[in-house]
Amino acid sequence: RWHVVLHFVPPALPAAWVGLLLLRQLEPAYLNLLLGLFLISNLPLVLRRQREIETVPQAGNIAWLPVVGTLAGFESGFTGAVGLLFNRFYHRLGLNKQEIVATRAANDVLLHLVKVVLYVSYGMLDRATLTAGVAMMVIAGNQIVTKDRIGVHYSWESSEIKMAFYWRQHRVALELEKPFEIEVRHAVKLKNGTSPNSEAVQQTSYNILHVSAFNDIYITHANSPDS
């Protein structure tokens, strides 16, 4: 919902700058106290058992959205994040769960990009902080690669170039053949089924996009059991 982003982000950016200036002026002891209070204030929202909302409410008035953006920007600039505090405001605008996730992601990405620039400008990102951030990214990246079975394969022969990307049960392969033949192959390993002789088998579904100078563009589909 880009109209929500346009009402939320512009007032949030200067408010984040004000929160960052306040952050620079506080003594570390007071900062720790305020951050602790902020985290504790989020506990009721995390622990409260909410009923599943099946229907989306009617879209509310967005006139107050710049005020919410200002508060969220200040909170984000001062504490680094706003947690779950403003999710209910998104829901009151008539957004469903998927729209809340996407709209909030757009708001947060724009806000955090500006905050990173401000942190660098005010010298608040030192070497130790950057090192810790890089280490966390590497650890998280390794865990994601292992858990989701991410991989890349590349080969180059005299008349053919192949590149494949693996993610979970998906495999996307790009093949270039001379003189001009391109294949984009998407394979998905389906859930285990049962063969006629009652042995468990796994099916792979293929969707192949062919681009050829001689045969134009066409798509083929196929299923095959894995050995």
Side-chain angles (χ1 to χ4, degrees):
R1 297 288 189 93
W2 287 107
H3 70 283
V4 175
V5 177
L6 293 176
H7 284 80
F8 183 95
V9 173
L13 299 182
W17 177 63
V18 174
L20 186 144
L21 292 179
L22 179 61
L23 176 65
R24 293 183 70 236
Q25 300 299 324
L26 282 179
E27 293 291 336
Y30 292 101
L31 177 61
N32 290 335
L33 175 62
L34 291 177
L35 289 178
L37 293 175
F38 170 76
L39 294 174
I40 292 176
S41 68
N42 275 272
L43 285 178
L45 295 177
V46 176
L47 300 178
R48 184 177 59 187
R49 185 175 182 179
Q50 298 180 348
R51 293 179 300 175
E52 187 73 16
I53 301 176
E54 298 293 342
T55 59
V56 178
Q58 295 182 351
N61 189 1
I62 64 173
W64 48 264
L65 194 55
V67 177
V68 176
T70 301
L71 295 175
F74 176 80
E75 195 80 33
S76 181
F78 182 72
T79 65
V82 295
L84 304 175
L85 292 179
F86 296 96
N87 273 7
R88 65 181 183 274
F89 294 105
Y90 288 102
H91 187 265
R92 289 178 181 176
L93 291 175
L95 277 66
N96 59 34
K97 292 180 179 180
Q98 292 82 0
E99 290 173 331
I100 291 176
V101 172
T103 305
R104 178 169 177 175
N107 289 336
D108 289 350
V109 166
L110 296 174
L111 185 58
H112 287 314
L113 286 176
V114 173
K115 283 165 50 183
V116 168
V117 174
L118 291 175
Y119 288 147
V120 173
S121 301
Y122 285 100
M124 300 180 68
L125 288 179
D126 53 17
R127 181 176 298 179
T129 303
L130 292 175
T131 302
V134 172
M136 293 173 64
M137 291 179 62
V138 171
I139 294 173
N142 289 333
Q143 292 176 346
I144 292 174
V145 168
T146 302
K147 181 179 179 181
D148 290 341
R149 301 183 297 278
I150 298 176
V152 177
H153 175 75
Y154 175 79
S155 65
W156 189 353
E157 301 176 359
S158 59
S159 61
E160 189 177 55
I161 300 175
K162 295 182 180 180
M163 178 178 293
F165 174 77
Y166 303 88
W167 177 72
R168 295 184 178 177
Q169 73 271 29
H170 298 271
R171 179 181 183 271
V172 178
L174 174 65
E175 298 183 7
L176 304 178
E177 301 178 1
K178 293 181 179 180
F180 185 77
E181 182 86 22
I182 301 176
E183 281 189 5
V184 180
R185 183 187 301 261
H186 177 218
V188 182
K189 289 185 179 295
L190 305 178
K191 294 181 179 180
N192 288 337
T194 304
S195 64
N197 57 1
S198 300
E199 294 181 357
V201 296
Q202 192 173 53
Q203 297 284 334
T204 300
S205 174
Y206 295 95
N207 296 303
I208 307 173
L209 171 65
H210 305 264
V211 180
S212 173
F214 306 101
N215 299 319
D216 296 327
I217 300 175
Y218 60 98
I219 299 176
T220 57
H221 308 275
N223 291 311
S224 67
D226 292 344
S227 57

